[in-house]
């Protein structure tokens, strides 16, 4: 499976997300604001389920990890010590003509291999060579030939050659400014006076809240190393170029674990966490075939890190990072110890040693996982009207072939589906039947997020649930009340139905939907 094996386009997905209430542009009534998104009634459930599955896997199913919920605004010295004030920067450049703003490390240049005076063409990373050549031909009166050109990083182009460089959105050379560093942290002021002594930052990651509370947590839980502290929460980055729907946003949520370990166990613990996290992704519905490990080379690592592996997923717009797992040594705790003057040492009762623990940090983005799950779940199928094989619809096909109807279905893993069960009375004009269905709905709702729907033909109600990804539909019919106290349970993916006693329902549902 690869990005291009999808049966969905981003346009179709974005349209479903808006239509069914997964994701809305924030403050849309005022024209929106780039890089910020709202999650609608279904999106919020999806995100809560992703966070609940992570939290359960980290803090409930293991004894060695505890949780934390630290403040979004912390003492500004936290960000000085962590290096974010000095180093959390991206190179940015502008086009004087179009006023476009670009991240310099996301721009590539299509340049002549030998002729230093030839025009060069800047493009967004990922642009097909054929598209680059088309523009080069247009601006060189057709003389550009593919074999004469190569693609290089913009940051490798010397500044004295910028006069020959044509910007991504213009046909004029010499309009791009030189790249300059731009700090991604959002600044604010604490208190009524906007002066430099009151500057504070919205956190760009949740991790530093964990490091800053390391000693307090250590002394309250008295766990032995190795142990972890997990946190889920909002993070903010003033991204130069938010893009790919919610993938790169300016406000997003992270799920971060700092797993504190004995120095020297870094490599084995790092490998362990990469494997654990990949198992988790499979469990929430991202198949192995679309997941990748990007293992950073020794040269690409920060000076304090001994390993870093990014977990990538094949999105329809390319293979991109969902999570980074880094072995960061004891850099962060040491930085905070030096800056605050407070000891970050751990005392090992067994060996009677004092040391600053090393850390392995799996750091995942909730919004990126939600987007990956939405992409993965989306299917359009052609259902035969008179029995036969279900077909996968062609991408972009407007209508089904003769004898078939279209079904849009979100094949979420049940544990992350927004609604777990829909309860449907077969008809709405029979009081006893409706009362039975309502009673069942209220009972199941105590345990799971359920949907009650009595309007329309049963087939149409099934389709509505398919489109929002509800794994199970439970139909209450006349036999339920008159005969056997059984209900029909329909599976979203196979569309098969089984007849079950209401008494068996809870354990049947639990086996399917609980993480
Ligand atoms: N504490 C380490 C850290 O923050 P990171 O690679 O910068 O590492 C971790 O971020 C994860 O947070 C990423 O893998 C991604 O899932 C998510 N993330 C980072 N920037 C994001 C953005 N602008 N929009 C959405 N998610 C983002």
């Amino acid at each position: 499976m690869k990005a291009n094996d999808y049966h969905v386009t981003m346009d179709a997905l974005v349209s479903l997300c808006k239509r069914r209430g997964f994701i809305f542009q924030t403050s849309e009534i005022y024209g929106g604001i780039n890089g910020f998104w709202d999650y609608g009634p279904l999106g919020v459930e999806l995100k809560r389920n992703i966070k609940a599955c992570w939290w359960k896997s980290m803090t409930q199913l293991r004894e060695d990890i505890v949780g934390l919920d630290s403040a979004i605004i912390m003492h500004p010295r936290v960000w000085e010590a962590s290096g974010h004030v000095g180093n959390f920067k991206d190179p940015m450049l502008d086009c004087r003509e179009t006023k476009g703003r670009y991240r310099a490390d996301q721009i590539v240049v299509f340049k002549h291999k030998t002729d230093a005076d030839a025009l060069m063409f800047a493009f967004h990373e990922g642009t097909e060579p054929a598209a680059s050549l088309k523009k080069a031909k247009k601006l060189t009166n057709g003389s550009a030939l593919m074999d004469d050109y190569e693609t290089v990083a913009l940051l490798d182009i010397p500044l004295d050659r910028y006069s020959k460089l044509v910007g991504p959105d213009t046909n004029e050379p010499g309009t791009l400014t030189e790249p300059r560093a731009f700090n991604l942290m959002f600044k604010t002021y604490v208190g009524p006076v906007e002066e430099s002594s009151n500057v504070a930052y919205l956190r760009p990651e949740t991790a530093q809240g964990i490091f800053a509370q390391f000693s307090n947590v250590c002394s309250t839980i008295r766990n032995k190393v190795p142990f972890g502290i997990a946190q889920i929460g909002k993070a903010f980055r003033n991204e130069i170029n938010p893009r790919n729907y919610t993938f790169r946003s300016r406000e997003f949520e992270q799920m971060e674990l700092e797993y504190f370990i004995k120095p020297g166990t870094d490599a084995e613990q790092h490998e362990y966490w990469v494997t654990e996290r990949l198992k988790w992704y499979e469990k929430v519905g991202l198949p192995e075939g679309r997941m990748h490990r990007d293992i950073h080379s020794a040269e690409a690592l920060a000076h304090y890190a001994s390993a870093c592996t990014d977990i990538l997923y094949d999105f329809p717009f390319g293979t991109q990072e969902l999570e980074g797992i880094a072995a960061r040594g004891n850099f962060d705790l040491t930085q905070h110890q030096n800056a605050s003057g407070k000891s970050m040492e751990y005392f090992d009762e067994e060996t009677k040693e004092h040391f600053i623990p090393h850390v392995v940090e799996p750091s995942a983005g909730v919004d990126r996982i939600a987007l990956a799950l939405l992409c993965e779940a989306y299917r359009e199928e052609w259902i035969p009207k008179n029995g036969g094989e279900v077909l996968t619809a062609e991408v972009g096909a407007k209508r089904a072939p003769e004898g078939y109807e279209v079904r849009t279905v979100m094949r979420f893993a049940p544990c992350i589906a927004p609604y777990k069960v829909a309860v449907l009375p077969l008809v709405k004009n029979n009081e006893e039947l409706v009362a039975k269905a309502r009673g069942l709905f209220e009972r199941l709702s105590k345990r799971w997020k359920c949907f009650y729907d009595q309007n329309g033909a049963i087939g149409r109600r099934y389709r509505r649930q398919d489109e929002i990804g509800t794994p199970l539909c439970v139909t209450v019919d006349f036999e339920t009340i008159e005969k056997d106290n059984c209900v029909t349970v329909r599976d979203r993916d196979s569309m098969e139905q089984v007849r079950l006693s209401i008494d068996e329902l809870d354990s049947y549902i639990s086996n399917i939907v609980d993480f």
Side-chain angles (χ1 to χ4, degrees), residues 8 35 80 182-183 301 309 320 347 410 424 454 471 490:
V8 61
E80 284 163 25
F182 170 77
N183 195 301
L301 292 174
T309 300
Q320 301 276 355
F347 179 63
M410 296 301 282
L424 318 171
Q454 61 178 28
R490 174 206 185 249

Side-chain angles (χ1 to χ4, degrees), residues 316-335:
F317 48 80
T319 302
Q320 301 276 355
E321 177 188 329
L322 297 180
E323 170 161 356
I325 303 172
R328 298 176 59 86
N330 59 11
F331 175 77
D332 303 273
L333 289 181
T334 307
Q335 289 290 104

Side-chain angles (χ1 to χ4, degrees), residues 406-425:
V406 180
R407 144 170 127 132
T408 303
V409 53
M410 296 301 282
R411 289 175 174 258
F412 292 123
C415 60
I416 62 113
Y419 288 94
K420 306 300 181 203
V421 182
V423 179
L424 318 171

Side-chain angles (χ1 to χ4, degrees), residues 84 88 204-208 211 237 239 246-256 258 281 310-311 321-324 328 361 363-369:
H84 284 82
F88 195 54
E205 60 170 30
T206 63
Q208 295 305 321
F211 294 123
R237 297 185 188 177
E239 296 283 355
T246 55
F247 180 83
R248 189 174 301 287
S249 306
R250 289 178 164 140
E251 174 178 342
F252 54 96
E253 270 185 294
Q254 289 187 315
M255 306 189 288
E256 297 200 293
E258 302 302 331
Y281 281 107
D310 289 340
I311 306 227
E321 177 188 329
L322 297 180
E323 170 161 356
R328 298 176 59 86
E361 178 192 77
S363 169
V366 182
D367 309 75
R368 288 191 185 175
I369 296 171

Side-chain angles (χ1 to χ4, degrees), residues 16 68 114 344:
L16 176 119
L68 180 75
T114 53
M344 296 288 165

Side-chain angles (χ1 to χ4, degrees), residues 182-201:
F182 170 77
N183 195 301
L184 299 183
M185 280 196 295
F186 279 101
K187 260 189 200 164
T188 184
Y189 297 91
V190 174
V193 186
E194 293 194 5
E195 62 188 20
S196 58
S197 59
N198 291 339
V199 163
Y201 302 96

